Coordinates of all heavy atoms in Angstrom, one line a residue:
V1 N 6.8 -38.2 -27.0 CA 7.0 -36.9 -26.5 C 5.7 -36.3 -25.9 O 5.7 -35.6 -24.9 CB 7.5 -36.0 -27.7 CG1 7.5 -34.5 -27.3 CG2 8.8 -36.4 -28.2
Q2 N 4.6 -36.6 -26.6 CA 3.3 -36.1 -26.0 C 3.0 -36.7 -24.6 O 2.6 -36.0 -23.7 CB 2.2 -36.5 -27.0 CG 2.2 -35.7 -28.3 CD 1.1 -36.1 -29.2 OE1 0.1 -36.8 -28.8 NE2 1.1 -35.7 -30.5
H3 N 3.4 -38.0 -24.5 CA 3.2 -38.6 -23.2 C 4.1 -38.0 -22.1 O 3.6 -37.7 -21.0 CB 3.5 -40.1 -23.3 CG 3.5 -40.8 -22.0 ND1 2.3 -41.1 -21.3 CD2 4.5 -41.3 -21.2 CE1 2.6 -41.7 -20.2 NE2 3.9 -41.9 -20.1
R4 N 5.3 -37.7 -22.5 CA 6.2 -37.1 -21.5 C 5.8 -35.7 -21.2 O 5.9 -35.3 -20.0 CB 7.6 -37.1 -22.1 CG 8.3 -38.4 -22.2 CD 8.5 -39.0 -20.9 NE 9.2 -40.3 -21.0 CZ 10.5 -40.5 -20.8 NH1 11.3 -39.4 -20.6 NH2 11.0 -41.7 -20.9
L5 N 5.3 -34.9 -22.1 CA 4.8 -33.6 -21.8 C 3.6 -33.6 -20.9 O 3.5 -32.8 -19.9 CB 4.4 -32.9 -23.1 CG 5.6 -32.3 -23.9 CD1 5.1 -31.8 -25.3 CD2 6.3 -31.2 -23.2
A6 N 2.7 -34.5 -21.2 CA 1.5 -34.7 -20.3 C 1.9 -35.0 -18.9 O 1.4 -34.5 -17.9 CB 0.5 -35.7 -20.9
H7 N 2.9 -35.9 -18.8 CA 3.4 -36.3 -17.5 C 4.0 -35.2 -16.8 O 3.9 -35.0 -15.5 CB 4.4 -37.5 -17.6 CG 5.0 -38.0 -16.3 ND1 4.2 -38.7 -15.4 CD2 6.2 -37.7 -15.8 CE1 5.0 -38.9 -14.4 NE2 6.2 -38.4 -14.6
A8 N 4.8 -34.4 -17.5 CA 5.5 -33.2 -16.9 C 4.5 -32.2 -16.4 O 4.7 -31.6 -15.3 CB 6.4 -32.6 -17.9
V9 N 3.4 -31.9 -17.2 CA 2.4 -31.0 -16.7 C 1.7 -31.5 -15.4 O 1.5 -30.7 -14.5 CB 1.3 -30.8 -17.8 CG1 0.1 -30.0 -17.3 CG2 1.9 -30.1 -19.0
S10 N 1.4 -32.8 -15.4 CA 0.8 -33.4 -14.2 C 1.7 -33.3 -13.0 O 1.3 -32.9 -11.9 CB 0.4 -34.8 -14.5 OG -0.1 -35.4 -13.3
A11 N 3.0 -33.7 -13.2 CA 4.0 -33.7 -12.1 C 4.2 -32.3 -11.6 O 4.3 -32.1 -10.4 CB 5.3 -34.3 -12.6
T12 N 4.2 -31.3 -12.5 CA 4.4 -29.9 -12.1 C 3.2 -29.4 -11.2 O 3.4 -28.7 -10.3 CB 4.6 -29.0 -13.3 OG1 5.6 -29.5 -14.1 CG2 5.0 -27.6 -12.8
G13 N 2.0 -29.9 -11.6 CA 0.8 -29.5 -10.8 C 0.9 -30.1 -9.4 O 0.6 -29.4 -8.4
L14 N 1.4 -31.3 -9.3 CA 1.6 -32.0 -8.0 C 2.6 -31.2 -7.2 O 2.5 -31.0 -6.0 CB 2.0 -33.4 -8.1 CG 0.9 -34.4 -8.7 CD1 1.5 -35.8 -9.0 CD2 -0.3 -34.4 -7.8
L15 N 3.7 -30.8 -7.9 CA 4.8 -30.0 -7.2 C 4.2 -28.7 -6.6 O 4.5 -28.3 -5.5 CB 5.9 -29.8 -8.2 CG 7.0 -28.9 -7.7 CD1 7.7 -29.5 -6.5 CD2 8.0 -28.6 -8.8
I16 N 3.4 -28.0 -7.4 CA 2.8 -26.7 -7.0 C 2.0 -27.0 -5.7 O 2.1 -26.2 -4.7 CB 2.0 -26.1 -8.1 CG1 3.0 -25.7 -9.2 CG2 1.2 -24.9 -7.6 CD1 2.2 -25.3 -10.5
N17 N 1.1 -28.0 -5.8 CA 0.3 -28.3 -4.6 C 1.1 -28.6 -3.4 O 0.8 -28.2 -2.3 CB -0.7 -29.4 -5.0 CG -1.8 -28.9 -5.9 OD1 -2.1 -27.8 -6.0 ND2 -2.3 -29.9 -6.7
S18 N 2.1 -29.4 -3.6 CA 3.0 -29.8 -2.5 C 3.7 -28.6 -1.9 O 3.8 -28.5 -0.6 CB 4.0 -30.9 -2.9 OG 3.4 -32.1 -3.3
L19 N 4.2 -27.7 -2.7 CA 4.9 -26.5 -2.2 C 3.9 -25.7 -1.4 O 4.3 -25.1 -0.4 CB 5.5 -25.7 -3.4 CG 6.7 -26.3 -4.0 CD1 7.0 -25.6 -5.3 CD2 7.9 -26.3 -3.1
R20 N 2.7 -25.5 -1.9 CA 1.7 -24.7 -1.2 C 1.3 -25.3 0.2 O 1.2 -24.6 1.2 CB 0.5 -24.5 -2.1 CG 0.8 -23.5 -3.2 CD -0.4 -23.4 -4.2 NE -0.1 -22.3 -5.2 CZ -0.7 -22.2 -6.3 NH1 -1.7 -23.0 -6.6 NH2 -0.4 -21.2 -7.2
K21 N 1.1 -26.6 0.2 CA 0.8 -27.3 1.4 C 2.0 -27.2 2.4 O 1.8 -27.0 3.6 CB 0.5 -28.8 1.2 CG -0.8 -29.0 0.5 CD -1.1 -30.5 0.2 CE -2.4 -30.8 -0.4 NZ -2.6 -32.2 -0.7
L22 N 3.2 -27.4 1.9 CA 4.4 -27.3 2.8 C 4.5 -25.9 3.3 O 4.8 -25.7 4.5 CB 5.6 -27.6 2.0 CG 6.9 -27.7 2.8 CD1 6.9 -28.7 3.9 CD2 8.1 -28.0 1.8
S23 N 4.2 -24.8 2.5 CA 4.3 -23.5 3.0 C 3.3 -23.2 4.1 O 3.6 -22.5 5.0 CB 4.2 -22.5 1.8 OG 2.8 -22.5 1.4
Y24 N 2.1 -23.8 4.0 CA 1.1 -23.6 5.0 C 1.5 -24.3 6.3 O 1.3 -23.8 7.4 CB -0.2 -24.1 4.5 CG -1.0 -23.1 3.8 CD1 -1.4 -23.3 2.4 CD2 -1.4 -21.8 4.3 CE1 -2.1 -22.4 1.7 CE2 -2.1 -20.9 3.6 CZ -2.5 -21.2 2.3 OH -3.2 -20.2 1.6
S25 N 2.1 -25.5 6.2 CA 2.5 -26.3 7.3 C 3.7 -25.7 8.1 O 3.7 -25.7 9.3 CB 2.8 -27.7 7.0 OG 3.9 -27.8 6.2
I26 N 4.6 -25.0 7.3 CA 5.8 -24.4 8.0 C 5.4 -23.1 8.6 O 5.8 -22.8 9.7 CB 6.9 -24.3 6.9 CG1 7.4 -25.6 6.5 CG2 8.0 -23.4 7.5 CD1 8.5 -25.6 5.4
G27 N 4.7 -22.3 7.8 CA 4.4 -20.9 8.3 C 3.1 -20.9 9.1 O 2.4 -21.9 9.2
T28 N 2.9 -19.8 9.8 CA 1.7 -19.6 10.6 C 0.8 -18.5 10.1 O 0.0 -18.0 10.8 CB 2.1 -19.3 12.1 OG1 3.0 -18.2 12.1 CG2 2.7 -20.5 12.7
G29 N 1.1 -18.1 8.8 CA 0.3 -17.0 8.2 C -1.2 -17.4 8.2 O -2.1 -16.5 8.2
M30 N -1.5 -18.7 8.0 CA -2.9 -19.1 7.9 C -3.6 -18.8 9.2 O -4.8 -18.5 9.1 CB -2.9 -20.6 7.7 CG -4.2 -21.2 7.3 SD -4.0 -23.0 6.9 CE -5.7 -23.3 6.4

């Protein structure tokens, strides 16, 4: 369970970074 939780925290962090990168690439607000 501890391993799965650590993996979920790491995967969620990657998901957040991917969403932010995708939002920058799609939009022109930058």
Side-chain angles (χ1 to χ4, degrees):
V1 174
Q2 293 180 8
H3 174 73
R4 290 298 182 94
L5 282 172
H7 178 74
V9 170
S10 176
T12 308
L14 293 175
L15 174 61
I16 293 169
N17 288 334
S18 295
L19 286 171
R20 286 173 176 166
K21 288 179 180 179
L22 184 60
S23 71
Y24 274 120
S25 65
I26 294 176
T28 52
M30 192 175 183

